[in-house]
Amino acid sequence: MDLPRIFSIRESGHRIHNPLTAVKLASLGESLRLAPGTRMLDLASGSGEMLCTWARDLGFTGTGVDISTVFTEQARARAAELGVADRVEFLHADAAGHVADEPVDLAACVGATWIGDGVAGTVGLLDRSLRPGGLMLIGEPYWRRTPPDERTAQDCHAAAVADFLELPDLIGQFQGLGYDVVEMTLADRDSWDRYAAAQWLSMRRWLDENPDDDMAPEVREELADEPARYARATREHLGWGVFALMKR
């Protein structure tokens, strides 16, 4: 049970596995106006930066769950580095279907709604762990501009144009599920650039260090194609944000 290796190679230089910068991540946490001691569940927690920094800066406690052995180890190391290992824990497990033992104040899935087969299923999964009146965080792509054709959508790493909505329609989807959207933090083009371009350097350095690895041809092909594809498609068409929801 693990992520495909290409993910850990591509994002080996990342602490945040989405297009939010550290400044935006901190701003998101502050915007929620939650008290120290807030209990959090973070599904698909990656390298744990959100939970660890919010534990340090905001006094949160909680649990992160991720399928990647590499990212889970990094999250535990980050918790120790920041001095919050007594307040947070990280489980190597499949986040799909994971429900907290006790209701939490804040339930999050930031950038991995495939664990619930989409937005609606992930909202339903998080709700099972959330106390009445608690906050939910969903991180999800949206179309900044709807692609003109399916090829452009695929160049944005979508299977089809229908995979994502434009921002007003995504907000409408949350509302249609019975939730108020009470906060949001959106990636901008600069934060997208930092997220995407850092992957290219990580892949190149990995190739230099592992030229004979079985994965090298796949990594080489991606590095050759991705910068132009990103500039042509993703940067122009794909947005990304984290949305805070409260059940009506």
Side-chain angles (χ1 to χ4, degrees):
M1 181 177 63
D2 212 329
L3 282 178
R5 279 185 72 203
I6 187 63
F7 285 92
S8 57
I9 293 169
R10 185 192 297 134
E11 302 209 2
S12 58
H14 290 61
R15 281 181 173 166
I16 302 170
H17 301 287
N18 62 62
L20 292 191
T21 61
V23 171
K24 283 182 176 287
L25 186 65
S27 176
L28 171 63
E30 292 169 358
S31 76
L32 302 178
R33 290 178 266 168
L34 294 170
T38 289
R39 294 167 298 167
M40 180 175 178
L41 174 66
D42 187 8
L43 297 185
S45 52
S47 295
E49 191 72 0
M50 181 167 68
L51 185 52
C52 287
T53 56
W54 290 2
R56 178 195 63 188
D57 299 336
L58 303 173
F60 290 7
T61 65
T63 300
V65 182
D66 200 276
I67 200 171
S68 169
T69 53
V70 171
F71 294 163
T72 302
E73 290 170 3
Q74 290 174 348
R76 291 168 178 163
R78 185 62 167 156
E81 178 186 2
L82 297 185
V84 296
D86 60 332
R87 282 180 273 163
V88 299
E89 65 172 343
F90 292 95
L91 307 179
H92 174 238
D94 189 351
H98 183 94
V99 177
D101 293 336
E102 297 181 0
V104 299
D105 306 303
L106 177 62
C109 177
V110 175
T113 56
W114 57 81
I115 68 170
D117 294 323
V119 168
T122 302
V123 166
L125 173 61
L126 292 174
D127 185 66
R128 294 168 62 192
S129 295
L130 195 62
R131 68 166 177 80
L135 271 171
M136 182 182 298
L137 292 179
I138 295 284
E140 181 70 2
Y142 61 88
W143 293 127
R144 187 193 307 274
R145 290 193 300 134
T146 299
D149 50 50
E150 298 296 338
R151 171 62 187 275
T152 304
Q154 291 161 10
D155 282 346
C156 297
H157 301 287
V161 173
D163 279 5
F164 305 132
L165 302 171
E166 291 195 357
L167 182 57
D169 298 322
L170 178 58
I171 291 173
Q173 182 181 19
F174 294 137
Q175 293 171 332
L177 292 169
Y179 289 79
D180 291 319
V181 178
V182 297
E183 260 292 355
M184 70 178 186
T185 298
L186 305 181
D188 56 27
R189 282 185 171 177
D190 182 64
S191 56
W192 258 115
D193 290 348
R194 298 279 45 78
Y195 173 63
Q199 296 178 14
W200 312 335
L201 181 58
S202 293
M203 288 190 287
R204 173 54 196 264
R205 286 184 169 163
W206 184 89
L207 283 168
D208 289 346
E209 295 168 1
N210 302 275
D212 299 321
D213 192 283
D214 290 345
M215 285 288 297
E218 180 179 346
V219 176
R220 164 48 59 194
E221 181 179 5
E222 182 163 334
L223 179 57
D225 293 343
E226 186 58 29
R229 182 166 57 221
Y230 169 76
R232 179 179 63 249
T234 305
R235 195 174 194 270
E236 296 302 312
H237 294 280
L238 195 61
W240 198 87
V242 182
F243 304 87
L245 313 178
M246 294 185 72
K247 197 171 189 177
R248 290 177 184 157

